[in-house]
Amino acid sequence: MSVTAAFDAVAGSYDQARRRLVPRFDDFYGTAVEVAAVPLRAALAAGRTPEVLDLGAGTGLLSLLLTAALPGVRVTLLDGAPRMLAVAADALAARGVPHRTVVADLADPLPAGRYDAVVSALAVHHLDDDGKRALYRRAPRR
């Protein structure tokens, strides 16, 4: 079974296990939101709509937390698992968060656009070392 198929198979229940599987869950995600909030607040202060690119977004948990902390943020969610992205899109739509989804692998070209923050919670570890280096070289250019 491919990684994409494995994640799509558990899309509906993935978040239920996450709090149990991620040590210090609240600290982990809280720190990510704090760090990403800095450039997003700067965009708001400049009168722009802050843009976030969430790599390996899965069910959109990190984007949901970011948009709850900073209303007015627009997100682009990238993931290789369409069912995971569907869960994310439904949750963001239910909260009225402007978003778009992109079905792609982390090794694929990143979506064009200006992003104030490029974030990822638990996806980059799926890449080998060369893949991580390539992603890190591409991400700041967005």
Side-chain angles (χ1 to χ4, degrees):
M1 176 182 282
S2 72
V3 171
T4 297
F7 279 110
D8 271 345
V10 298
S13 61
Y14 186 73
D15 285 342
Q16 294 165 338
R18 203 176 304 186
R19 186 172 288 281
R20 181 177 43 83
L21 296 173
V22 176
R24 301 193 58 164
F25 176 92
D26 292 323
D27 292 335
F28 177 83
Y29 282 96
T31 299
V33 168
E34 283 179 34
V35 171
V38 174
L40 301 176
R41 283 192 185 102
L44 283 169
R48 289 188 296 102
T49 298
E51 297 279 348
V52 172
L53 175 59
D54 188 347
L55 301 174
T59 60
L61 179 61
L62 180 54
S63 284
L64 287 162
L65 294 169
L66 275 169
T67 57
L70 290 157
V73 172
R74 186 171 33 224
V75 294
T76 298
L77 301 105
L78 182 143
D79 201 284
R83 289 186 188 149
M84 296 285 269
L85 284 174
V87 170
D90 288 347
L92 289 164
R95 294 185 184 178
V97 175
H99 65 280
R100 71 179 172 132
T101 60
V102 177
V103 178
D105 188 89
L106 292 178
D108 294 338
L110 298 177
R114 176 188 179 164
Y115 298 102
D116 299 290
V118 179
V119 301
S120 184
L122 296 170
V124 175
H125 73 276
H126 290 289
L127 298 171
D128 63 19
D129 289 346
D130 288 338
K132 288 174 187 143
R133 281 189 283 276
L135 178 62
Y136 294 147
R137 278 192 299 272
R138 288 180 289 133
R141 295 188 182 131
R142 294 288 124 215

